[in-house]
């Protein structure tokens, strides 16, 4: 990109900072009006609407800030690209997003969005999109299978008041999973106007008996998550689910020997697979788990089994409060892997920094768009 165009992009950062989320909100509305088929791909539930435009806005803003060293945004691109690959986002979708994003910029900034600014952004969007397309092309090549494949539900276990574990099997594909990955389920709930895609973490690296993932029933009444309620209430053993191949970059770094796993609520799911992998690899893991109470506590038997081999500490927040500084004292030399809600992640990262853990040693996976968390 020519230097004067780069300067134009940089000069628009303050306006994007101010209006970024409004721009992407307008962009979403416009895009869905013109391409209603895309409603089948994006999560339309109450909880997520808002987070997603925020995550997209923040990513675009980061790309504008880093126009002179785009390498800096590659780690973020990789995490997003895993989700895109799992959702089957394809190169032909990028011009649709680009056109509507540029229209969003024009609509919100009005006369301030001069032809020069629009021209520079059109070119820059093309560059950002190409980075995503290239990274995703590699992921499509490496994926364990193409697109969505039918799996038969062979097990459904109630793990806690609001978490169910599914075991599913396919005759069509042979595959490996890695601890920390998620699969993506495509369902078509009868009382919902669209298809819906959701990511669910895999709870075990062992797949001889089938692939296992856990689903939390989200919200009640007005805030009820359509898909999680459909999964809990309607999907039974013997039914078929469409799954896309395992994805995700929340993986154990093989160089880490001393590990500390921290999880909150349903965030235990990928961590259970990671602890399994760590124990089998002869590493030295510890596990600290926060959950509201005994009724909400999933994987009780599995955690007890881990407890016979490694330190496992379970804290019920109703009785003993949330995890805090003293829970992590003396563990600062360990590499940390955290998983839980956005709120849990924010709280843990803050406490760990205060207790002296180094930022480089903290890996995390929020259940929700990561870039909306970083952008807080
Ligand atoms: C998710 C950015 C292009 C479809 C996301 C997320 C970000 C993002 C930050 C959230 C990831 C997370 O959960 O951690 C971008 C950027 C793009 C782009 C910067 C362009 C350069 C596209 C395209 C499509 C698409 C072309 C397909 C039409 C999706 C969907 C999700 C997603 C369906 C999941 C959202 C949900 O949960 O509903 N993207 N994206 N994205 N993206 Fe993109």
């Amino acid at each position: 990109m020519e230097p004067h165009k780069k300067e134009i992009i940089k000069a628009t950062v303050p306006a994007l900072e101010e209006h970024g989320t409004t721009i992407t909100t307008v962009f979403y509305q416009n895009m869905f009006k013109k391409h209603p088929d895309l409603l089948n791909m994006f999560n339309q539930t109450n909880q997520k609407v808002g987070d997603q435009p925020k995550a997209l806005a923040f990513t675009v803003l980061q790309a504008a800030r880093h126009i002179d060293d785009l390498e800096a945004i590659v780690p973020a691109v990789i995490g997003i690209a895993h989700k895109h690959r799992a959702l089957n986002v394809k190169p032909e979708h990028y011009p649709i997003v680009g056109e509507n994003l540029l229209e969003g910029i024009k609509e919100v900034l009005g006369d301030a969005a001069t032809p020069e600014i629009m021209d520079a952004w059109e070119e820059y969007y093309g560059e950002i999109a190409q980075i995503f397309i290239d990274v995703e092309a590699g992921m499509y090549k490496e994926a364990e299978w193409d697109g969505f494949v039918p799996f038969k539900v062979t097990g459904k276990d109630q793990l806690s008041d609001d978490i169910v574990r599914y075991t599913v099997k396919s005759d069509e594909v042979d595959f490996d999973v890695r601890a920390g990955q998620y699969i993506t389920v495509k369902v078509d709930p009868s009382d919902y106007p669209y298809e819906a895609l959701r990511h669910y973490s895999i709870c075990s690296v062992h797949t001889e008996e089938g692939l296992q993932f856990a689903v939390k029933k989200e919200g009640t009444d007005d805030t009820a998550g359509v898909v999680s309620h459909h999964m809990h209430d309607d999907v039974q053993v013997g039914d078929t689910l469409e799954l896309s191949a395992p994805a995700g970059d929340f993986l154990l770094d093989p160089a880490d020997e001393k590990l500390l796993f921290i999880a909150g609520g349903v965030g235990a799911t990928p961590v259970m697979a990671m602890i399994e992998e760590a124990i089998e690899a002869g590493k030295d893991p510890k596990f600290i788990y926060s959950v509201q109470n005994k009724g909400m506590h999933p994987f009780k038997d599995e955690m007890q089994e881990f407890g016979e081999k490694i330190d496992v500490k379970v804290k019920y927040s109703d009785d003993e409060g949330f995890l805090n500084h003293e829970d992590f004292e003396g563990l600062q030399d360990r590499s940390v892997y955290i998983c839980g809600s956005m709120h849990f992640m924010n709280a843990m990262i803050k406490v760990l920094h205060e207790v002296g853990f180094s930022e480089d040693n903290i890996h995390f996976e929020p259940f929700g768009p990561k870039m909306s968390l970083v952008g807080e």
Side-chain angles (χ1 to χ4, degrees):
M1 188 173 218
E2 293 164 34
H4 79 276
K5 288 193 178 167
K6 284 190 178 182
E7 290 312 313
I8 293 176
I9 298 289
K10 285 186 212 165
T12 55
V13 168
L16 283 180
E17 269 168 353
E18 197 184 333
H19 301 290
T21 308
T22 323
I23 292 169
T24 45
T25 306
V26 170
F27 141 70
Y28 267 44
Q29 284 162 359
N30 289 351
M31 183 171 76
F32 292 141
K33 222 178 278 164
K34 282 189 259 167
H35 298 274
D37 51 308
L38 288 179
L39 287 163
N40 292 312
M41 194 187 251
F42 286 82
N43 186 340
Q44 301 298 314
T45 63
N46 323 9
Q47 301 99 308
K48 287 284 178 81
V49 171
D51 274 357
Q52 166 59 24
K54 196 167 150 190
L56 176 64
F58 185 71
T59 309
V60 171
L61 192 57
Q62 283 296 76
R65 284 190 188 123
H66 289 282
I67 192 163
D68 290 326
D69 66 318
L70 261 181
E71 282 295 302
I73 68 158
V74 168
V77 169
I78 290 172
I80 300 163
H82 273 287
K83 293 219 167 138
H84 283 165
R85 201 284 294 147
L87 297 159
N88 234 3
V89 171
K90 291 287 173 72
E92 57 269 28
H93 290 123
Y94 280 86
I96 299 175
V97 164
E99 185 192 320
N100 287 285
L101 190 59
L102 289 167
E103 266 181 40
I105 293 177
K106 182 83 202 130
E107 206 173 310
V108 175
L109 298 188
D111 289 344
T114 61
E116 291 73 30
I117 288 178
M118 295 312 296
D119 182 50
W121 265 104
E122 188 177 345
E123 188 175 334
Y124 195 43
Y125 171 82
E127 281 188 20
I128 302 168
Q130 200 54 50
I131 295 174
F132 276 92
I133 291 169
D134 292 345
V135 171
E136 285 157 22
M139 290 177 177
Y140 278 105
K141 240 184 246 155
E142 279 173 20
E144 294 283 326
W145 64 84
D146 284 340
F148 286 84
V149 160
F151 278 70
K152 177 93 59 211
V153 178
T154 57
K156 182 179 178 185
D157 309 300
Q158 193 78 36
L159 295 183
S160 72
D161 292 352
D162 60 0
I163 299 174
V164 157
R165 174 176 53 206
Y166 284 92
T167 307
V168 296
K169 277 187 168 175
S170 165
D171 300 332
E172 290 187 24
V173 284
D174 249 347
F175 57 89
D176 282 326
V177 301
R178 297 183 64 188
Q181 287 188 309
Y182 52 83
I183 46 83
T184 304
V185 172
K186 175 156 74 178
V187 290
D188 200 353
S190 56
D191 51 352
Y192 189 64
Y194 319 109
E195 284 181 344
L197 306 175
R198 290 294 182 277
H199 309 295
Y200 295 117
S201 290
I202 296 167
C203 15
S204 173
V205 281
H206 297 289
T207 54
E208 309 82 53
E209 299 298 316
L211 180 87
Q212 297 189 324
F213 61 91
V215 180
K216 179 182 176 203
K217 201 170 194 176
E218 298 283 356
T220 51
D221 303 325
D222 283 359
T223 63
V226 178
V227 178
S228 67
H229 280 246
H230 168 69
M231 294 289 292
H232 274 244
D233 300 341
D234 307 332
V235 178
Q236 309 297 353
V237 171
D239 290 350
T240 298
L241 285 172
E242 303 254 316
L243 262 62
S244 75
D249 60 345
F250 183 56
L251 303 173
L252 281 182
D253 181 340
D256 289 341
E257 291 298 329
K258 294 181 81 174
L259 302 151
L260 173 62
F261 294 101
I262 304 170
V266 70
T269 314
V271 166
M272 295 305 288
M274 291 174 120
I275 297 175
E276 198 179 60
E277 185 173 288
I279 292 175
E280 286 171 17
K283 311 256 177 193
D284 168 20
K286 287 186 189 294
F287 181 32
I288 302 181
Y289 180 53
S290 169
V291 66
Q292 205 177 331
N293 53 46
K294 199 171 172 194
M296 311 282 270
H297 182 174
F299 305 108
K300 283 193 208 68
D301 295 346
E302 291 82 353
M303 285 189 197
Q304 203 170 348
E305 264 177 51
F306 286 158
E308 289 162 14
K309 298 178 190 144
I310 64 165
D311 270 0
V312 175
K313 175 173 177 174
V314 177
K315 203 164 166 182
Y316 291 145
S317 56
D318 278 353
D319 304 333
E320 301 172 85
F322 294 112
L323 299 178
N324 55 37
H325 304 77
E326 73 240 20
D327 293 307
F328 305 113
E329 276 306 344
L331 302 173
Q332 286 87 338
D333 60 336
R334 290 176 178 265
S335 294
V336 184
Y337 292 78
I338 321 175
C339 188
S341 66
M342 294 289 193
H343 177 75
F344 179 79
M345 307 284 320
N346 271 333
M348 288 303 103
I349 291 169
K350 182 164 178 282
V351 169
L352 291 173
H353 284 162
E354 284 165 7
V355 194
F357 281 81
S358 118
E359 174 127 23
D360 297 345
N361 273 348
I362 303 178
H363 313 259
F364 62 93
E365 175 90 332
F367 283 154
K370 205 168 188 171
M371 293 305 278
S372 71
L373 177 77
V374 182
E376 293 281 309

